[in-house]
Amino acid sequence: MSHTYHSANLTYKGIYDSHKTTPTRPSAPAMTHQGVQTVSEVEELVNREMGQGIQVAPSDNFLKTFLPLPEGDLTAKKFEGIYGTDYFKTFGLPDGQKAERLLYPMLVDAASKILACCDGDVHSYWISRPDSTPKSSDKSTAQIRPDAAAVLGDQRAYFRALDLLQASGTTEVRADNCSRLRPPKSFPAFSQLRDQITIWWLRVNTPVEVKPTDSEEHQREGSAQLCRYMRQVLRHQLDRRYVFGLLLCNHKMRVFYCDRSGLLVTMDWVDIRAMPKQFIQVIVGLSRLEPGKLGWDKTMLLRLQTQKKKLVFAPSTDPRVKVADYGASAYDTQWAIFVPNSDGSVDGKWYVTVRALSLSRAEVMVGRATLVWLRLTECWQKRLVLKNAWGRTDSTTEKDFYGTERVDHVGHVSCSVRIGNPTTAGKGVNSLRGGVDSVWRQWKGGFYEQLEGKRPRVRPRSPEDSLAHEGGGVAAPESEKPIASRILIRTVMEAYGWPIKYFKDLEEFVRVTRDTVRGHRNLYFKNGVLQRDISAGNMLACLDEVGETHGELIDLDHASRSPLRLKYNPRKDSSGFSFTALQSNAVEFLKHDLDLNVKQLDPALSSALLRRCQGSSTLASTTFERMTMLYMKSPHLMHCRKGQDSDSKELLWASVQDEGTLAFMSAELFGSGPYFGRTVIPRTDIPNTSQVVVHTAIHDMESVFWVFLYICLTRRGPGGARREELYSDSSMPSEDSTRTTHEARVRAIVEALFDSPYERVIQQNKRNLFTNPQDFEVDILPFIHPYFKPIEALLVRWFKLFQIAYGTYDDVGQGIIHDQVLDILDDALQALPKQSDPEYELMTQAELERRRRHLAQYAAFPDLPPAASASSSAPNDSHQLATQESPHRFSASSSVAVPAANQQPISPTRPKAKKLRIMLSSGQAGLGEEEAGDDDMTLSETDTTIKPLSYGTSRK
């Protein structure tokens, strides 16, 4: 895929500055891949997330917390007895040598020898494949290659392959370069053996980056590369809560750790020559510790899809899990996911997912990393959505925002539950980072620290360190830099539908938009909640009971609630005195200032002005004067044309800043102040004399408009297909032909308003449209796709509404902005012509067929029971979740107990091997167990027995 060149000086008029173009792709909030993710994209995403800095901790404290060895571990002693005390004194490159590749076999050989001395069984082996990219079922995965890695699995097949290659006549065999071997042609099984040692991102435990020196350049470059690998691990392993990584600079090593609160790094080096016991501790810990302590989520079990007619589940770390068990892609992978009944509860349900709905945020290293799956109920009539998100520990959940009563046109939230431990916490509170004391360090395209022999000093952690820290802003002093404490929140919703971009026709497109606005209004006034993250993915076309679609607004992850309220009486009229005073002042103003001889104002307009100004003739007179000067041709657009509801409405505004989807955010929320310096009515969403605009209802309504316009510019009709113009290899304008120029303009508009990697470009272009409103009809409207021509008038009227609404946006304006938008959408729906073009009708039928297939594919799913219950009490035979015994000798329990919030669930096992499957008993389905024979440790009759592995016996 060719690069697209983006300009920092792009406008919707298509003006580029060729000296300031940068080959890149849209930033994280706006990125939707049409091809393979590039290394530069991953680098940009890492730098964005690490922009607020990282945390560092002393090595001894770090290793004691994260990678502790069992008490009485004799690995180091055995290693010393076999290889002597001087083995590690020569580790690394000799002085003057900079051949990085020489370090690969040193690391792998040392790790293998260490594990051969380990008493316990291990689950990961170490391998170096620097010339081979780990495989992935995701074709958009960036082609990046870690220098080495600890990889999950039974490595005996790998060593067996090496032995066979050696026996076949290959002159040299090393663990680090098997991929480069050229065996004799008489060895036909070579390709088969290479498949046995193929590395998949799904199985990478710990990636490693190697550099020949610990220079500043190599430290920064190496740490940045390592973070890119760690990001790929999170992207592919959806049941991974955190990930480790190693940076080896000659004979010095640093350990990296990343959860959704960011990066934590060992401050001082682990010098392999001087501190071999720490190196041994790292290798053994990463290869032997129970997978839950290395980041895998024990409340997620993988459905083994090789068991086609059964629902069989196992931890993804089980060595008998095959790549085929994950399905064709990450979206096809199926899970059993535990959801507690409440925060800290040991009781709950295991939900079996059918398909993923959204995984685009899986690779996020700092943030919510939201994942969404579809789950069917036992009656097959209702589809539930299960969401994973790492919310801030002290944040309000979606269920808290939604409340107990249903809200029309807002996706129903059944529950939101915090599960497990937070990433970080104050003293005395369990957390993923434990008691590690850390300090802040700056990230400048990588991490660099040179202690020059000095031991680091770290101040003790205080509870205040768990404050939030993401976003922009001036870097805080080291001692004051906080990190965001996050905790996994699982939310179950009864809202399933298709994103609005997959509309079936214009009528559905406008109707779903209208219903979304209704949902936002209901949530705003009924619950006092502002959604604050309007996007194309959060506006759904949902099926109702009779098969018709309606619009629903979803995703309250970024919502806010304010205690501030203002009563607005839409029936508030005026006394006779106020009416007379307004008439007199208005007639006087028109005569003396505009030389217009008007006897009186339209009584309806006077009443509307007084009602809008809540009976104040003074404010109504001032408003009329400013309105007339600015909007002489259409003063009626200031207020809602329809009659208001009889009940008073409550108005509120958010007391915190924006946190939405960049592409559709109002430019006012980028920190550069309001669109207009002087307004008809003083704005009350700008506190005091500050130019910082508070995120309120009008900004979400503007976001709805941007989503609507974005679809008109990027789609070519029903079904969500993108316009051909957006697939061109070049984004630079050309004057070769009218068609080429038109295509370039379309791409320029889309990038300038939505997809630019530069926030300043998006903000400035949206602001320019508001300050130069004539540009909308001249430079934007002609370039929407022809399919959307019937709603041109809607777009013009909607955009003009904001011109006036922002100029009259006071407390009352916040209360009527929804109705003003709904007026426009309702009128457009009534005026829509019937679809008659045969081409578009075919696209509509194709979309309807796609939806039918989408729904029908789940009928092929194995018989699905109700969500199985689990509790700390001993379960009965017909409602029990059990996994087969692990071949690794981890501590096991005969209970299926689901842990409290500060615990991870123990893998439920029995003394004998178990098969996990769905059991049907007495007409009621549940997750049950089946006991295997004494010699049977398999998942099916066709699998072969895998016995516990011992390095000492499998390879010497």
Side-chain angles (χ1 to χ4, degrees):
M1 180 177 177
S2 59
H3 286 299
T4 299
Y5 287 84
H6 300 280
S7 170
N9 294 283
L10 173 68
T11 76
Y12 51 76
K13 293 178 180 290
I15 299 174
Y16 288 80
D17 184 340
S18 60
H19 300 292
K20 296 184 179 181
T21 56
T22 305
T24 182
R25 288 280 297 271
S27 56
M31 185 182 294
T32 41
H33 288 291
Q34 302 301 322
V36 177
Q37 192 179 39
T38 66
V39 176
S40 61
E41 289 171 12
V42 182
E43 179 182 11
E44 170 65 19
L45 293 172
V46 169
N47 287 333
R48 276 178 172 271
E49 293 184 15
M50 301 302 162
Q52 278 291 317
I54 66 174
Q55 297 284 315
V56 296
S59 292
D60 51 0
N61 187 213
F62 183 102
L63 298 182
K64 180 180 178 180
T65 301
F66 290 112
L67 303 173
L69 292 181
E71 187 175 351
D73 184 83
L74 300 176
T75 305
K77 185 175 181 179
K78 286 186 176 181
F79 187 94
E80 185 177 317
I82 297 174
Y83 300 103
T85 58
D86 295 335
Y87 178 87
F88 288 109
K89 289 185 178 179
T90 58
F91 188 96
L93 302 174
D95 293 341
Q97 176 62 265
K98 294 186 178 181
E100 178 183 309
R101 298 187 71 89
L102 297 178
L103 291 169
Y104 305 157
M106 288 186 193
L107 172 64
V108 174
D109 291 345
S112 297
K113 289 175 179 177
I114 290 170
L115 295 183
C117 298
C118 181
D119 288 333
D121 296 321
V122 296
H123 50 65
S124 298
Y125 65 97
W126 296 78
I127 186 171
S128 176
R129 301 284 295 280
D131 299 316
S132 177
T133 301
K135 294 188 69 175
S136 170
S137 60
D138 182 357
K139 295 181 180 180
S140 66
T141 300
Q143 299 298 297
I144 55 180
R145 305 182 295 270
D147 293 328
V151 181
L152 283 172
D154 180 357
Q155 77 280 28
R156 289 175 301 164
Y158 171 71
F159 289 135
R160 198 158 49 239
L162 294 182
D163 291 339
L164 287 171
L165 286 172
Q166 210 163 20
S168 71
T170 305
T171 57
E172 183 181 11
V173 178
R174 275 211 306 258
D176 65 293
N177 63 358
C178 184
S179 63
R180 297 167 65 89
L181 293 176
R182 296 294 183 269
K185 294 181 179 179
S186 60
F187 190 64
F190 176 69
S191 59
Q192 237 179 337
L193 292 172
R194 281 189 57 178
D195 289 342
Q196 287 184 289
I197 58 175
T198 298
I199 299 176
W200 288 74
W201 280 116
L202 284 169
R203 313 306 290 164
V204 173
N205 173 349
T206 305
V208 181
E209 176 59 24
V210 177
K211 293 296 176 186
T213 74
D214 63 347
S215 66
E216 179 176 356
E217 177 186 0
H218 282 158
Q219 284 193 52
R220 293 196 189 280
E221 183 180 289
S223 59
Q225 288 177 282
L226 180 60
C227 284
R228 296 200 283 272
Y229 309 148
M230 295 168 74
R231 188 179 183 91
Q232 294 303 307
V233 172
L234 293 173
R235 175 187 178 118
H236 290 82
Q237 299 177 24
L238 304 182
D239 58 340
R240 202 72 183 267
R241 297 175 298 155
Y242 52 85
V243 62
F244 290 94
L246 299 180
L247 174 62
L248 178 66
C249 292
N250 198 357
H251 59 88
K252 298 179 180 180
M253 184 177 70
R254 277 201 172 105
V255 187
F256 285 55
Y257 162 94
C258 184
D259 55 29
R260 266 52 187 228
S261 285
L263 195 64
L264 177 65
V265 184
T266 51
M267 184 186 303
D268 43 331
W269 292 102
V270 173
D271 191 324
I272 299 174
R273 294 176 182 175
M275 297 177 288
K277 289 186 177 180
Q278 283 194 336
F279 176 64
I280 292 174
Q281 180 179 353
V282 171
I283 297 299
V284 173
L286 292 172
S287 304
R288 181 186 176 190
L289 281 176
E290 193 271 327
K293 295 182 179 179
L294 297 176
W296 277 275
D297 188 346
K298 303 304 289 292
T299 64
M300 292 181 65
L301 297 175
L302 177 69
R303 187 218 164 188
L304 307 184
Q305 295 191 35
T306 53
Q307 308 294 305
K308 296 186 181 299
K309 296 184 178 181
K310 303 176 184 177
L311 286 179
V312 182
F313 297 87
S316 66
T317 53
D318 192 300
R320 288 164 290 193
V321 169
K322 307 175 182 67
V323 172
D325 287 320
Y326 285 87
S329 71
Y331 280 85
D332 298 307
T333 305
Q334 294 161 354
W335 303 88
I337 302 177
F338 179 74
V339 179
N341 290 337
S342 60
D343 295 352
S345 174
V346 297
D347 299 320
K349 293 182 179 180
W350 287 88
Y351 288 90
V352 178
T353 69
V354 177
R355 179 178 172 79
L357 300 177
S358 175
L359 302 176
S360 60
R361 301 283 182 171
E363 62 189 281
V364 169
M365 303 174 77
V366 184
R368 301 184 63 87
T370 301
L371 309 176
V372 185
W373 291 276
L374 170 66
R375 186 259 172 186
L376 294 177
T377 61
E378 61 272 17
C379 62
W380 291 87
Q381 298 301 315
K382 186 181 295 183
R383 298 168 184 85
L384 299 182
V385 173
L386 177 60
K387 179 194 289 189
N388 257 19
W390 287 86
R392 296 183 181 179
T393 304
D394 59 352
S395 65
T396 305
T397 67
E398 290 194 66
K399 178 59 177 177
D400 292 333
F401 281 128
Y402 189 88
T404 57
E405 298 182 9
R406 289 185 177 270
V407 181
D408 289 343
H409 297 296
V410 178
H412 179 69
V413 180
S414 301
C415 68
S416 293
V417 187
R418 297 176 178 88
I419 184 168
N421 295 322
T423 54
T424 183
K427 291 183 178 180
V429 180
N430 291 332
S431 67
L432 298 184
R433 300 193 179 194
V436 173
D437 293 324
S438 61
V439 293
W440 178 81
R441 289 290 186 271
Q442 194 170 15
W443 177 273
K444 291 184 176 180
F447 169 63
Y448 169 72
E449 179 117 338
Q450 197 69 24
L451 296 174
E452 300 180 354
K454 296 180 180 180
R455 296 289 296 169
R457 298 185 63 185
V458 180
R459 65 184 180 89
R461 178 177 297 281
S462 66
E464 287 75 17
D465 284 341
S466 61
L467 299 175
H469 79 289
E470 53 180 57
V474 180
E478 173 184 319
S479 61
E480 299 177 6
K481 197 69 176 181
I483 64 175
S485 176
R486 294 184 176 274
I487 191 168
L488 181 59
I489 301 174
R490 287 194 174 134
T491 299
V492 178
M493 300 181 293
E494 297 178 16
Y496 176 69
W498 297 275
I500 190 172
K501 66 181 180 182
Y502 297 112
F503 61 92
K504 66 181 178 68
D505 53 32
L506 271 182
E507 190 271 338
E508 184 182 72
F509 178 43
V510 178
R511 178 163 40 80
V512 168
T513 303
R514 181 202 62 187
D515 290 349
T516 298
V517 174
R518 286 178 173 177
H520 190 282
R521 180 185 62 179
N522 296 337
L523 191 69
Y524 192 62
F525 289 114
K526 182 176 180 179
N527 292 17
V529 171
L530 185 67
Q531 197 264 2
R532 299 203 314 155
D533 187 22
I534 301 293
S535 69
N538 293 339
M539 300 166 62
L540 301 184
C542 299
L543 283 173
D544 57 25
E545 292 79 3
V546 296
E548 297 295 330
T549 56
H550 64 277
E552 288 194 9
L553 176 66
I554 63 168
D555 194 356
L556 305 182
D557 279 344
H558 301 295
S560 66
R561 178 185 283 122
S562 173
L564 299 177
R565 296 290 187 274
L566 174 75
K567 291 289 185 179
Y568 165 60
N569 183 359
R571 290 180 173 270
K572 178 75 173 179
D573 213 327
S574 57
S575 65
F577 173 78
S578 298
F579 188 91
T580 302
L582 173 59
Q583 286 280 349
S584 176
N585 293 336
V587 170
E588 187 71 13
F589 162 76
L590 293 173
K591 180 178 181 179
H592 288 86
D593 291 65
L594 299 180
D595 198 23
L596 294 175
N597 188 15
V598 177
K599 294 183 178 180
Q600 68 171 15
L601 291 183
D602 183 338
L605 176 59
S606 297
S607 296
L609 277 171
L610 286 168
R611 185 169 61 251
R612 176 63 176 74
C613 297
Q614 294 291 277
S616 170
S617 60
T618 302
L619 180 58
S621 298
T622 304
T623 299
F624 173 76
E625 293 173 9
R626 292 181 178 178
M627 227 175 54
T628 304
M629 296 297 294
L630 294 175
Y631 311 116
M632 290 181 63
K633 294 183 180 180
S634 55
H636 62 281
L637 285 179
M638 187 197 77
H639 62 88
C640 182
R641 178 175 51 78
K642 285 187 176 180
Q644 301 288 340
D645 298 333
S646 58
D647 297 331
S648 294
K649 294 184 178 181
E650 291 187 332
L651 181 71
L652 66 150
W653 55 87
S655 58
V656 288
Q657 271 303 100
D658 63 273
E659 192 177 338
T661 303
L662 175 67
F664 308 117
M665 278 171 53
S666 167
E668 286 202 337
L669 301 176
F670 283 75
S672 54
Y675 285 129
F676 308 117
R678 186 172 184 267
T679 59
V680 175
I681 298 176
R683 290 180 57 171
T684 53
D685 61 335
I686 306 177
N688 302 321
T689 58
S690 170
Q691 287 298 296
V692 177
V693 178
V694 176
H695 195 148
T696 59
I698 193 172
H699 301 110
D700 277 6
M701 290 301 97
E702 184 188 339
S703 293
V704 175
F705 170 78
W706 291 125
V707 170
F708 196 89
L709 178 62
Y710 177 76
I711 292 174
C712 293
L713 287 166
T714 60
R715 265 52 198 178
R716 57 184 174 90
R722 288 174 67 84
R723 295 178 69 168
E724 296 87 344
E725 295 95 323
L726 300 178
Y727 286 107
S728 175
D729 289 336
S730 172
S731 67
M732 300 298 290
S734 169
E735 296 183 1
D736 293 345
S737 68
T738 303
R739 175 178 174 80
T740 303
T741 302
H742 179 85
E743 291 177 352
R745 286 294 305 276
V746 170
R747 292 192 297 274
I749 293 169
V750 172
E751 180 172 336
L753 295 175
F754 305 103
D755 284 350
S756 175
Y758 304 101
E759 291 183 10
R760 183 179 62 82
V761 169
I762 297 175
Q763 179 261 125
Q764 193 58 53
N765 277 283
K766 288 180 178 178
R767 185 172 293 277
N768 286 344
L769 267 184
F770 272 87
T771 54
N772 301 283
Q774 68 279 1
D775 288 354
F776 183 76
E777 295 184 58
V778 175
D779 297 308
I780 306 297
L781 206 59
F783 296 95
I784 64 172
H785 191 273
Y787 175 77
F788 299 98
K789 291 297 182 181
I791 55 174
E792 276 188 336
L794 182 160
L795 287 166
V796 171
R797 185 179 170 192
W798 199 347
F799 184 69
K800 286 184 176 180
L801 166 67
F802 285 118
Q803 299 295 307
I804 297 178
Y806 272 113
T808 59
Y809 196 65
D810 60 355
D811 290 339
V812 176
Q814 295 184 56
I816 62 175
I817 185 62
H818 296 94
D819 292 323
Q820 291 175 308
V821 174
L822 288 172
D823 278 349
I824 296 172
L825 294 171
D826 282 334
D827 289 348
L829 274 173
Q830 294 178 11
L832 272 180
K834 289 188 177 181
Q835 184 170 281
S836 57
D837 191 309
E839 179 184 358
Y840 295 136
E841 183 59 30
L842 287 174
M843 295 173 73
T844 293
Q845 294 306 315
E847 170 58 17
L848 291 174
E849 178 59 28
R850 185 192 71 84
R851 295 182 185 183
R852 283 191 286 269
R853 292 197 308 269
H854 192 194
L855 297 175
Q857 65 177 304
Y858 306 122
F861 198 74
D863 290 339
L864 186 65
S869 63
S871 68
S872 58
S873 60
N876 58 47
D877 291 338
S878 64
H879 289 85
Q880 184 164 345
L881 181 69
T883 61
Q884 61 277 10
E885 185 177 5
S886 171
H888 313 313
R889 294 198 297 266
F890 301 136
S891 60
S893 166
S894 60
S895 168
V896 295
V898 179
N902 61 350
Q903 298 175 324
Q904 289 302 314
I906 300 172
S907 178
T909 61
R910 285 283 187 259
K912 292 183 179 181
K914 306 295 178 185
K915 295 181 182 179
L916 174 64
R917 68 175 188 175
I918 297 299
M919 300 288 290
L920 301 179
S921 175
S922 303
Q924 189 173 20
L927 289 173
E929 62 174 25
E930 178 182 42
E931 186 171 318
D934 292 338
D935 296 325
D936 184 9
M937 295 182 64
T938 66
L939 298 178
S940 71
E941 291 76 14
T942 58
D943 285 336
T944 58
T945 300
I946 299 179
K947 297 180 180 179
L949 174 67
S950 171
Y951 266 87
T953 57
S954 64
R955 181 166 178 83
K956 297 182 180 179

